[in-house]
Amino acid sequence: MDEPQDRPLWQRLGWMFAIWLASITVLGLVASVIKFWLKG
């Protein structure tokens, strides 16, 4: 398995950005479902 220091900085930052974006997207979807459910 590769050590984290073996990967370039842009790749590590890219993974962190991708995980952050996915978490924000999922949080928004869950909030939308809850909002729709409470209004319905």
Side-chain angles (χ1 to χ4, degrees):
M1 201 152 187
D2 290 339
E3 290 292 325
Q5 289 78 18
D6 291 347
R7 295 190 176 138
L9 180 62
W10 67 267
Q11 191 175 18
R12 287 182 276 162
L13 291 176
W15 273 110
M16 289 302 293
F17 178 75
I19 292 168
W20 174 78
L21 190 62
S23 66
I24 294 297
T25 303
V26 169
L27 184 63
L29 288 173
V30 169
S32 297
V33 168
I34 291 171
K35 186 198 266 189
F36 177 75
W37 181 53
L38 289 176
K39 279 189 171 185

